[in-house]
Structure formats: structure tokens, C-alpha cells
PDB file of all heavy atoms in Angstrom:
ATOM      1  N   LEU A   1      55.934 -45.972  83.926  1.00 94.00           N
ATOM      2  CA  LEU A   1      56.495 -44.727  84.643  1.00 94.00           C
ATOM      3  C   LEU A   1      57.149 -43.842  83.499  1.00 94.00           C
ATOM      4  O   LEU A   1      56.911 -42.619  83.485  1.00 94.00           O
ATOM      5  CB  LEU A   1      57.528 -45.054  85.691  1.00 94.00           C
ATOM      6  CG  LEU A   1      58.459 -43.925  86.105  1.00 94.00           C
ATOM      7  CD1 LEU A   1      57.575 -42.880  86.874  1.00 94.00           C
ATOM      8  CD2 LEU A   1      59.531 -44.508  87.023  1.00 94.00           C
ATOM      9  N   LEU A   2      57.919 -44.474  82.680  1.00 96.00           N
ATOM     10  CA  LEU A   2      58.602 -43.718  81.560  1.00 96.00           C
ATOM     11  C   LEU A   2      57.569 -43.067  80.590  1.00 96.00           C
ATOM     12  O   LEU A   2      57.720 -41.948  80.154  1.00 96.00           O
ATOM     13  CB  LEU A   2      59.520 -44.595  80.801  1.00 96.00           C
ATOM     14  CG  LEU A   2      60.709 -45.162  81.603  1.00 96.00           C
ATOM     15  CD1 LEU A   2      61.580 -46.115  80.692  1.00 96.00           C
ATOM     16  CD2 LEU A   2      61.541 -44.080  82.224  1.00 96.00           C
ATOM     17  N   GLN A   3      56.478 -43.740  80.249  1.00 96.00           N
ATOM     18  CA  GLN A   3      55.505 -43.280  79.452  1.00 96.00           C
ATOM     19  C   GLN A   3      54.776 -41.990  80.004  1.00 96.00           C
ATOM     20  O   GLN A   3      54.431 -41.061  79.378  1.00 96.00           O
ATOM     21  CB  GLN A   3      54.411 -44.253  79.039  1.00 96.00           C
ATOM     22  CG  GLN A   3      54.932 -45.304  78.092  1.00 96.00           C
ATOM     23  CD  GLN A   3      53.885 -46.300  77.811  1.00 96.00           C
ATOM     24  OE1 GLN A   3      52.795 -46.472  78.357  1.00 96.00           O
ATOM     25  NE2 GLN A   3      54.142 -47.130  76.769  1.00 96.00           N
ATOM     26  N   ALA A   4      54.661 -41.947  81.356  1.00 94.00           N
ATOM     27  CA  ALA A   4      54.140 -40.806  82.062  1.00 94.00           C
ATOM     28  C   ALA A   4      54.980 -39.646  82.227  1.00 94.00           C
ATOM     29  O   ALA A   4      54.642 -38.560  82.176  1.00 94.00           O
ATOM     30  CB  ALA A   4      53.546 -41.338  83.367  1.00 94.00           C
ATOM     31  N   VAL A   5      56.361 -39.944  82.435  1.00 93.00           N
ATOM     32  CA  VAL A   5      57.267 -38.909  82.882  1.00 93.00           C
ATOM     33  C   VAL A   5      58.130 -38.329  81.706  1.00 93.00           C
ATOM     34  O   VAL A   5      58.367 -37.144  81.662  1.00 93.00           O
ATOM     35  CB  VAL A   5      58.234 -39.558  83.962  1.00 93.00           C
ATOM     36  CG1 VAL A   5      59.327 -38.548  84.268  1.00 93.00           C
ATOM     37  CG2 VAL A   5      57.406 -39.851  85.160  1.00 93.00           C
ATOM     38  N   LEU A   6      58.516 -39.191  80.710  1.00 96.00           N
ATOM     39  CA  LEU A   6      59.369 -38.673  79.667  1.00 96.00           C
ATOM     40  C   LEU A   6      58.516 -37.839  78.707  1.00 96.00           C
ATOM     41  O   LEU A   6      57.410 -38.099  78.270  1.00 96.00           O
ATOM     42  CB  LEU A   6      60.097 -39.879  78.995  1.00 96.00           C
ATOM     43  CG  LEU A   6      60.866 -40.749  79.804  1.00 96.00           C
ATOM     44  CD1 LEU A   6      61.508 -41.803  78.939  1.00 96.00           C
ATOM     45  CD2 LEU A   6      62.002 -39.935  80.511  1.00 96.00           C
ATOM     46  N   ASP A   7      59.295 -36.798  78.170  1.00 96.00           N
ATOM     47  CA  ASP A   7      58.797 -35.907  77.077  1.00 96.00           C
ATOM     48  C   ASP A   7      59.066 -36.542  75.708  1.00 96.00           C
ATOM     49  O   ASP A   7      60.146 -36.939  75.390  1.00 96.00           O
ATOM     50  CB  ASP A   7      59.577 -34.589  77.201  1.00 96.00           C
ATOM     51  CG  ASP A   7      59.048 -33.631  76.198  1.00 96.00           C
ATOM     52  OD1 ASP A   7      58.046 -33.830  75.449  1.00 96.00           O
ATOM     53  OD2 ASP A   7      59.692 -32.501  76.168  1.00 96.00           O
ATOM     54  N   PRO A   8      58.057 -36.789  74.845  1.00 95.00           N
ATOM     55  CA  PRO A   8      58.221 -37.426  73.613  1.00 95.00           C
ATOM     56  C   PRO A   8      59.148 -36.682  72.614  1.00 95.00           C
ATOM     57  O   PRO A   8      59.712 -37.215  71.672  1.00 95.00           O
ATOM     58  CB  PRO A   8      56.835 -37.471  73.038  1.00 95.00           C
ATOM     59  CG  PRO A   8      55.984 -36.484  73.715  1.00 95.00           C
ATOM     60  CD  PRO A   8      56.733 -36.270  75.076  1.00 95.00           C
ATOM     61  N   ASP A   9      59.392 -35.342  72.846  1.00 96.00           N
ATOM     62  CA  ASP A   9      60.179 -34.596  71.888  1.00 96.00           C
ATOM     63  C   ASP A   9      61.621 -34.403  72.409  1.00 96.00           C
ATOM     64  O   ASP A   9      62.437 -33.709  71.743  1.00 96.00           O
ATOM     65  CB  ASP A   9      59.574 -33.137  71.807  1.00 96.00           C
ATOM     66  CG  ASP A   9      58.203 -33.144  71.199  1.00 96.00           C
ATOM     67  OD1 ASP A   9      57.941 -34.072  70.343  1.00 96.00           O
ATOM     68  OD2 ASP A   9      57.330 -32.337  71.648  1.00 96.00           O
ATOM     69  N   GLN A  10      62.010 -35.104  73.437  1.00 96.00           N
ATOM     70  CA  GLN A  10      63.248 -35.054  73.975  1.00 96.00           C
ATOM     71  C   GLN A  10      63.954 -36.382  73.867  1.00 96.00           C
ATOM     72  O   GLN A  10      63.329 -37.411  73.810  1.00 96.00           O
ATOM     73  CB  GLN A  10      63.213 -34.586  75.473  1.00 96.00           C
ATOM     74  CG  GLN A  10      64.297 -33.696  75.968  1.00 96.00           C
ATOM     75  CD  GLN A  10      64.095 -33.240  77.386  1.00 96.00           C
ATOM     76  OE1 GLN A  10      63.044 -33.478  77.968  1.00 96.00           O
ATOM     77  NE2 GLN A  10      65.011 -32.543  77.915  1.00 96.00           N
ATOM     78  N   THR A  11      65.384 -36.353  73.909  1.00 96.00           N
ATOM     79  CA  THR A  11      66.154 -37.644  73.979  1.00 96.00           C
ATOM     80  C   THR A  11      66.842 -37.758  75.264  1.00 96.00           C
ATOM     81  O   THR A  11      67.124 -36.715  75.934  1.00 96.00           O
ATOM     82  CB  THR A  11      67.174 -37.664  72.871  1.00 96.00           C
ATOM     83  OG1 THR A  11      68.034 -36.529  72.847  1.00 96.00           O
ATOM     84  CG2 THR A  11      66.386 -37.758  71.401  1.00 96.00           C
ATOM     85  N   TYR A  12      67.160 -38.936  75.745  1.00 96.00           N
ATOM     86  CA  TYR A  12      67.788 -39.187  77.011  1.00 96.00           C
ATOM     87  C   TYR A  12      68.847 -40.235  76.821  1.00 96.00           C
ATOM     88  O   TYR A  12      68.756 -41.114  76.069  1.00 96.00           O
ATOM     89  CB  TYR A  12      66.666 -39.790  77.960  1.00 96.00           C
ATOM     90  CG  TYR A  12      65.453 -38.857  78.072  1.00 96.00           C
ATOM     91  CD1 TYR A  12      64.382 -38.994  77.224  1.00 96.00           C
ATOM     92  CD2 TYR A  12      65.415 -37.897  79.126  1.00 96.00           C
ATOM     93  CE1 TYR A  12      63.233 -38.191  77.424  1.00 96.00           C
ATOM     94  CE2 TYR A  12      64.258 -37.117  79.222  1.00 96.00           C
ATOM     95  CZ  TYR A  12      63.213 -37.153  78.367  1.00 96.00           C
ATOM     96  OH  TYR A  12      62.081 -36.467  78.508  1.00 96.00           O
ATOM     97  N   THR A  13      69.840 -40.163  77.828  1.00 95.00           N
ATOM     98  CA  THR A  13      70.745 -41.267  77.890  1.00 95.00           C
ATOM     99  C   THR A  13      70.273 -42.267  78.858  1.00 95.00           C
ATOM    100  O   THR A  13      69.355 -41.923  79.593  1.00 95.00           O
ATOM    101  CB  THR A  13      72.179 -40.700  78.251  1.00 95.00           C
ATOM    102  OG1 THR A  13      72.027 -40.192  79.622  1.00 95.00           O
ATOM    103  CG2 THR A  13      72.787 -39.701  77.371  1.00 95.00           C
ATOM    104  N   ALA A  14      70.837 -43.485  78.887  1.00 94.00           N
ATOM    105  CA  ALA A  14      70.364 -44.496  79.844  1.00 94.00           C
ATOM    106  C   ALA A  14      70.685 -44.000  81.274  1.00 94.00           C
ATOM    107  O   ALA A  14      69.796 -44.242  82.183  1.00 94.00           O
ATOM    108  CB  ALA A  14      71.166 -45.799  79.641  1.00 94.00           C
ATOM    109  N   ALA A  15      71.735 -43.274  81.501  1.00 94.00           N
ATOM    110  CA  ALA A  15      72.066 -42.763  82.824  1.00 94.00           C
ATOM    111  C   ALA A  15      71.013 -41.812  83.306  1.00 94.00           C
ATOM    112  O   ALA A  15      70.626 -41.722  84.369  1.00 94.00           O
ATOM    113  CB  ALA A  15      73.423 -42.164  82.814  1.00 94.00           C
ATOM    114  N   GLU A  16      70.606 -40.888  82.309  1.00 95.00           N
ATOM    115  CA  GLU A  16      69.627 -39.847  82.670  1.00 95.00           C
ATOM    116  C   GLU A  16      68.261 -40.537  83.072  1.00 95.00           C
ATOM    117  O   GLU A  16      67.672 -40.160  84.053  1.00 95.00           O
ATOM    118  CB  GLU A  16      69.298 -38.980  81.515  1.00 95.00           C
ATOM    119  CG  GLU A  16      70.484 -38.008  81.201  1.00 95.00           C
ATOM    120  CD  GLU A  16      70.340 -37.191  79.995  1.00 95.00           C
ATOM    121  OE1 GLU A  16      69.606 -37.561  79.058  1.00 95.00           O
ATOM    122  OE2 GLU A  16      70.939 -36.163  79.908  1.00 95.00           O
ATOM    123  N   VAL A  17      67.900 -41.463  82.389  1.00 96.00           N
ATOM    124  CA  VAL A  17      66.657 -42.302  82.606  1.00 96.00           C
ATOM    125  C   VAL A  17      66.735 -42.946  83.969  1.00 96.00           C
ATOM    126  O   VAL A  17      65.795 -42.912  84.766  1.00 96.00           O
ATOM    127  CB  VAL A  17      66.342 -43.236  81.492  1.00 96.00           C
ATOM    128  CG1 VAL A  17      65.094 -44.093  81.888  1.00 96.00           C
ATOM    129  CG2 VAL A  17      66.061 -42.545  80.231  1.00 96.00           C
ATOM    130  N   GLU A  18      67.853 -43.563  84.312  1.00 95.00           N
ATOM    131  CA  GLU A  18      68.041 -44.178  85.596  1.00 95.00           C
ATOM    132  C   GLU A  18      67.885 -43.199  86.692  1.00 95.00           C
ATOM    133  O   GLU A  18      67.375 -43.471  87.708  1.00 95.00           O
ATOM    134  CB  GLU A  18      69.345 -44.927  85.636  1.00 95.00           C
ATOM    135  CG  GLU A  18      69.370 -46.183  84.769  1.00 95.00           C
ATOM    136  CD  GLU A  18      70.763 -46.792  84.604  1.00 95.00           C
ATOM    137  OE1 GLU A  18      71.723 -46.273  85.254  1.00 95.00           O
ATOM    138  OE2 GLU A  18      70.834 -47.790  83.925  1.00 95.00           O
ATOM    139  N   LYS A  19      68.414 -42.013  86.506  1.00 94.00           N
ATOM    140  CA  LYS A  19      68.298 -40.889  87.442  1.00 94.00           C
ATOM    141  C   LYS A  19      66.842 -40.485  87.669  1.00 94.00           C
ATOM    142  O   LYS A  19      66.423 -40.218  88.697  1.00 94.00           O
ATOM    143  CB  LYS A  19      69.181 -39.748  87.199  1.00 94.00           C
ATOM    144  CG  LYS A  19      70.607 -39.973  87.477  1.00 94.00           C
ATOM    145  CD  LYS A  19      71.435 -38.698  87.002  1.00 94.00           C
ATOM    146  CE  LYS A  19      72.976 -38.992  87.152  1.00 94.00           C
ATOM    147  NZ  LYS A  19      73.727 -37.871  86.754  1.00 94.00           N
ATOM    148  N   ILE A  20      66.107 -40.320  86.539  1.00 94.00           N
ATOM    149  CA  ILE A  20      64.692 -40.041  86.639  1.00 94.00           C
ATOM    150  C   ILE A  20      63.854 -41.048  87.363  1.00 94.00           C
ATOM    151  O   ILE A  20      63.049 -40.698  88.157  1.00 94.00           O
ATOM    152  CB  ILE A  20      64.212 -39.829  85.138  1.00 94.00           C
ATOM    153  CG1 ILE A  20      64.806 -38.568  84.476  1.00 94.00           C
ATOM    154  CG2 ILE A  20      62.647 -39.758  85.190  1.00 94.00           C
ATOM    155  CD1 ILE A  20      64.576 -38.490  83.027  1.00 94.00           C
ATOM    156  N   ILE A  21      64.184 -42.269  87.050  1.00 94.00           N
ATOM    157  CA  ILE A  21      63.378 -43.452  87.784  1.00 94.00           C
ATOM    158  C   ILE A  21      63.740 -43.344  89.266  1.00 94.00           C
ATOM    159  O   ILE A  21      62.828 -43.414  90.109  1.00 94.00           O
ATOM    160  CB  ILE A  21      63.772 -44.760  87.190  1.00 94.00           C
ATOM    161  CG1 ILE A  21      63.209 -44.815  85.719  1.00 94.00           C
ATOM    162  CG2 ILE A  21      63.281 -45.951  88.081  1.00 94.00           C
ATOM    163  CD1 ILE A  21      63.808 -46.072  84.983  1.00 94.00           C
ATOM    164  N   ALA A  22      64.958 -43.165  89.595  1.00 94.00           N
ATOM    165  CA  ALA A  22      65.422 -43.233  91.082  1.00 94.00           C
ATOM    166  C   ALA A  22      64.772 -41.997  91.776  1.00 94.00           C
ATOM    167  O   ALA A  22      64.247 -42.083  92.897  1.00 94.00           O
ATOM    168  CB  ALA A  22      66.960 -43.148  91.186  1.00 94.00           C
ATOM    169  N   GLY A  23      64.781 -40.895  91.124  1.00 92.00           N
ATOM    170  CA  GLY A  23      64.126 -39.651  91.716  1.00 92.00           C
ATOM    171  C   GLY A  23      62.644 -39.849  91.888  1.00 92.00           C
ATOM    172  O   GLY A  23      62.096 -39.346  92.869  1.00 92.00           O
ATOM    173  N   PHE A  24      61.983 -40.519  90.885  1.00 90.00           N
ATOM    174  CA  PHE A  24      60.617 -40.692  91.122  1.00 90.00           C
ATOM    175  C   PHE A  24      60.259 -41.632  92.254  1.00 90.00           C
ATOM    176  O   PHE A  24      59.291 -41.421  93.015  1.00 90.00           O
ATOM    177  CB  PHE A  24      59.945 -41.212  89.765  1.00 90.00           C
ATOM    178  CG  PHE A  24      58.489 -41.345  89.761  1.00 90.00           C
ATOM    179  CD1 PHE A  24      57.746 -40.153  89.441  1.00 90.00           C
ATOM    180  CD2 PHE A  24      57.833 -42.472  90.068  1.00 90.00           C
ATOM    181  CE1 PHE A  24      56.420 -40.239  89.429  1.00 90.00           C
ATOM    182  CE2 PHE A  24      56.487 -42.516  90.095  1.00 90.00           C
ATOM    183  CZ  PHE A  24      55.769 -41.454  89.784  1.00 90.00           C
ATOM    184  N   LYS A  25      61.104 -42.651  92.390  1.00 89.00           N
ATOM    185  CA  LYS A  25      60.884 -43.611  93.386  1.00 89.00           C
ATOM    186  C   LYS A  25      61.135 -43.074  94.839  1.00 89.00           C
ATOM    187  O   LYS A  25      60.478 -43.506  95.836  1.00 89.00           O
ATOM    188  CB  LYS A  25      61.760 -44.841  93.251  1.00 89.00           C
ATOM    189  CG  LYS A  25      61.339 -45.801  92.097  1.00 89.00           C
ATOM    190  CD  LYS A  25      62.267 -46.967  92.088  1.00 89.00           C
ATOM    191  CE  LYS A  25      61.776 -47.918  91.064  1.00 89.00           C
ATOM    192  NZ  LYS A  25      62.567 -49.159  91.030  1.00 89.00           N
ATOM    193  N   LYS A  26      61.913 -42.052  94.948  1.00 88.00           N
ATOM    194  CA  LYS A  26      62.194 -41.398  96.135  1.00 88.00           C
ATOM    195  C   LYS A  26      61.256 -40.302  96.613  1.00 88.00           C
ATOM    196  O   LYS A  26      61.118 -39.789  97.632  1.00 88.00           O
ATOM    197  CB  LYS A  26      63.581 -40.708  96.205  1.00 88.00           C
ATOM    198  CG  LYS A  26      64.769 -41.695  96.270  1.00 88.00           C
ATOM    199  CD  LYS A  26      66.062 -40.952  96.255  1.00 88.00           C
ATOM    200  CE  LYS A  26      67.151 -41.966  96.196  1.00 88.00           C
ATOM    201  NZ  LYS A  26      68.463 -41.294  96.238  1.00 88.00           N
ATOM    202  N   GLY A  27      60.284 -40.099  95.589  1.00 79.00           N
ATOM    203  CA  GLY A  27      59.271 -39.001  95.734  1.00 79.00           C
ATOM    204  C   GLY A  27      58.334 -39.214  96.910  1.00 79.00           C
ATOM    205  O   GLY A  27      58.120 -40.430  97.387  1.00 79.00           O
TER     206      GLY A  27
END
């Protein structure tokens, strides 16, 4: 999921990634 969703040129905090994962699962 992270390989598909995250932008390689951007940085993220652990909290941001957890929100991204949760949002994707609720899709």
C-alpha cells in the first residue's frame, strides 16, 4: 500500500502514514 500511495519525493511522519493507511482502508 505504501509503495503505491506514497510520493518518493516527499517525507512523512509516522502519524501521517497511519492516517494515510486508515483513510485508504475506509475507501
